[in-house]
Amino acid sequence: MNSPLVPNYARVPLAFERGEGSWLVTRRGERYLDFGSGIAVNNLGHAHPRLVEALKAQAEKLWHVSNIFEIPEGERLAQRLADHSFADQVMFCNSGAEANEAAIKMARRYHYLKGQRERYRILTFENAFHGRTLGTIAAGGQAKYLEGFGPKAEGFDQVPFGDHEAMRAAVTAQTAAIMIEPIQGEGGVRAVPHVCLRGLRELCDETGMLLIYDEVQTGFGRTGKLFGYEWAGVAPDIMSVAKALGGGFPVGAVLATADAATGLTAGSHGTTFGGNPLAMAVGNAVLDVMLEPGFLDQVSRSGLLLRQRLAALGDRFPDIIGEIRGTALMTGLRLNVPNADFVAATRAQHLLCIPAGDNVVRLYPPLTISEADLLEGVQRIEAACIALQDNMPATAKAGASA
Ligand SMILES: *Cc1c(COP(=O)(O)O)cnc(C)c1O
């Protein structure tokens, strides 16, 4: 009510004092099972000892020097990201929106430097989410995020998700790049079929457009691969990442092929904090854990177990759970009750999850979650479903099952 904070968030009246793996604990000692991971950020859970150690060790040595100097920890992290992706080069920044801004700037300037000054338009998809800067709300194209913020930044064209004809028709000689989330996150955990990604790649190769993946949410193990695009085996030219790269420490990055990266020549783009030694130390520690043999396989196994148990719940509560979406621990439930009601009902069971578009709720537990905690989470979801069922008007129950 009288918070000194700007009211741009309708906050849940819950404040956590500490986190332990998959659990969040309030000041009064109430424990909540975290199936949100700070919206796909705390992929290694809370207070992971390896991350805490890396941050503390770096904090005692050096925090910040500016990008006018070499930052060896950043060179190392960039090399490792390149070694484990399609990319040759990496630029660090501080958030997902900033990574997307840099990706857009890189794509535009790539064509500019080739003498194609008119080629600056970016093609995106309906219900996309690319961030909240003036550029990225134009890229995302959602009216609810654009409203009241003045003229929409020029140079973005949007087509319906999955409409190939509309997309081919929207491509002109001015189109610089296609930008897409391999699985839409905020949009409702909606996966792009692999064959569509392949089609986009071919279209880009035919026309000289660049393919940009926004892997801010799908990145860093959430889908059981380090990056979501690996499932399709279709590489982009540019890719933005952020969220789980720092496991909770703010950091983002743009990954690019050597060719695409030529767009950002010396002096053309920059950031004060991006890639500072603290962020780089944590990013390297995140990779240390995720690249250990078996880590990603375990994520896939956990995802399979969760999906099986959710499918059983879906059979029992068809009036509540409509559809299970996603890959591995990037799980979405499309609901037959308002997703806000579902989120509130699970919170009453001390389980945290996150609403998304298309009446979906996202279940994003830490990738490190134990089988026992995962099953505990399913039990809490079951309890929430029972409570929701009990509260349904008899007519709605009869209507939904008729
Ligand atoms: C969260 C998110 C962003 C924005 O990231 P910020 O760090 O909030 O700027 C962009 N794209 C996708 C796919 C996201 O999930």
Side-chain angles (χ1 to χ4, degrees):
M1 282 271 288
N2 287 321
S3 170
L5 294 172
V6 168
N8 64 324
Y9 276 98
R11 291 169 196 273
V12 172
L14 256 182
F16 298 105
E17 191 178 47
R18 61 176 200 282
E20 301 164 357
S22 300
W23 296 85
L24 282 165
V25 188
T26 67
R27 206 174 299 174
R28 286 184 289 169
E30 296 159 327
R31 294 168 65 80
Y32 284 75
L33 190 48
D34 187 5
F35 270 37
S37 300
I39 317 189
V41 168
N42 306 102
N43 279 12
L44 298 181
H46 299 280
H48 191 290
R50 304 268 294 274
L51 303 197
V52 173
E53 188 189 299
L55 186 66
K56 277 185 175 169
Q58 187 60 44
E60 284 168 5
K61 288 196 290 188
L62 184 66
W63 290 21
H64 179 84
V65 293
S66 158
N67 283 307
I68 58 180
F69 301 105
E70 290 180 358
I71 300 175
E73 301 87 344
E75 301 252 351
R76 176 163 175 260
L77 181 54
Q79 187 62 57
R80 296 173 83 193
L81 289 171
D83 289 346
H84 289 91
S85 73
F86 73 95
D88 302 306
Q89 289 176 311
V90 178
M91 195 207 79
F92 293 106
C93 56
N94 310 285
S95 69
E98 239 185 295
N100 283 330
E101 287 276 338
I104 293 163
K105 287 178 71 176
M106 184 185 279
R108 285 184 172 180
R109 206 149 179 286
Y110 169 86
H111 293 293
Y112 173 90
L113 292 175
K114 284 189 181 316
Q116 299 184 294
R117 299 188 170 207
E118 73 297 336
R119 195 165 195 181
Y120 64 88
R121 305 195 70 83
I122 312 285
L123 199 69
T124 66
F125 295 84
E126 283 178 7
N127 296 308
F129 183 80
H130 298 301
R132 303 294 203 108
T133 59
L134 290 171
T136 55
I137 56 176
Q142 295 199 42
K144 64 179 173 182
Y145 296 137
L146 285 159
E147 188 190 347
F149 293 116
K152 182 180 155 200
E154 220 270 311
F156 296 91
D157 301 306
Q158 201 160 48
V159 295
F161 194 76
D163 187 338
H164 296 215
E165 294 315 307
M167 199 205 44
R168 283 194 173 257
V171 171
T172 72
Q174 288 189 308
T175 312
I178 297 176
M179 184 164 169
I180 190 166
E181 301 156 83
I183 303 175
Q184 283 192 341
E186 311 292 318
V189 193
R190 301 202 300 174
V192 181
H194 295 171
V195 61
C196 296
L197 290 182
R198 216 165 299 134
L200 293 181
R201 180 70 269 172
E202 283 163 12
L203 184 59
C204 286
D205 291 344
E206 277 167 33
T207 56
M209 293 186 295
L210 297 175
L211 183 58
I212 305 174
Y213 289 161
D214 179 344
E215 288 236 23
V216 172
Q217 196 156 144
T218 46
F220 298 101
R222 181 60 45 200
T223 69
K225 300 273 191 197
L226 195 59
F227 302 111
Y229 80 85
E230 293 174 52
W231 287 110
V234 179
D237 301 289
I238 302 174
M239 181 168 85
S240 56
V241 296
K243 289 197 165 93
L245 169 56
F249 194 94
V251 58
V254 184
L255 283 63
T257 62
D259 187 36
T262 56
L264 294 184
T265 47
S268 66
H269 186 68
T271 157
T272 295
F273 294 122
N276 89 3
L278 281 176
M280 297 299 94
V282 179
N284 273 308
V286 166
L287 284 192
D288 287 345
V289 177
M290 289 194 180
L291 295 176
E292 268 179 2
F295 179 89
L296 293 169
D297 294 335
Q298 178 58 39
V299 177
S300 284
R301 274 197 299 278
S302 297
L304 200 61
L305 177 65
L306 180 60
R307 178 169 286 259
Q308 283 166 348
R309 297 304 169 108
L310 291 172
L313 284 186
D315 291 342
R316 269 181 63 200
F317 301 100
D319 299 347
I320 297 170
I321 297 172
E323 183 191 334
I324 304 168
R325 295 179 176 177
T327 304
L329 291 178
M330 185 162 183
T331 314
L333 296 181
R334 187 159 192 285
L335 299 168
N336 293 327
V337 295
N339 59 358
D341 293 357
F342 188 93
V343 170
T346 51
R347 197 188 312 127
Q349 304 298 330
H350 285 203
L351 180 117
L352 305 171
C353 56
I354 311 159
D358 203 23
N359 203 35
V360 163
V361 68
R362 285 172 281 181
L363 303 174
Y364 288 5
L367 309 183
T368 49
I369 191 166
S370 67
E371 185 174 319
D373 283 348
L374 200 65
L375 296 177
E376 174 67 34
V378 173
Q379 271 187 15
R380 291 176 188 220
I381 293 167
E382 177 186 2
C385 287
I386 291 168
L388 283 166
Q389 186 103 300
D390 287 347
N391 288 338
M392 268 183 202
T395 48
K397 270 185 241 180
S401 55

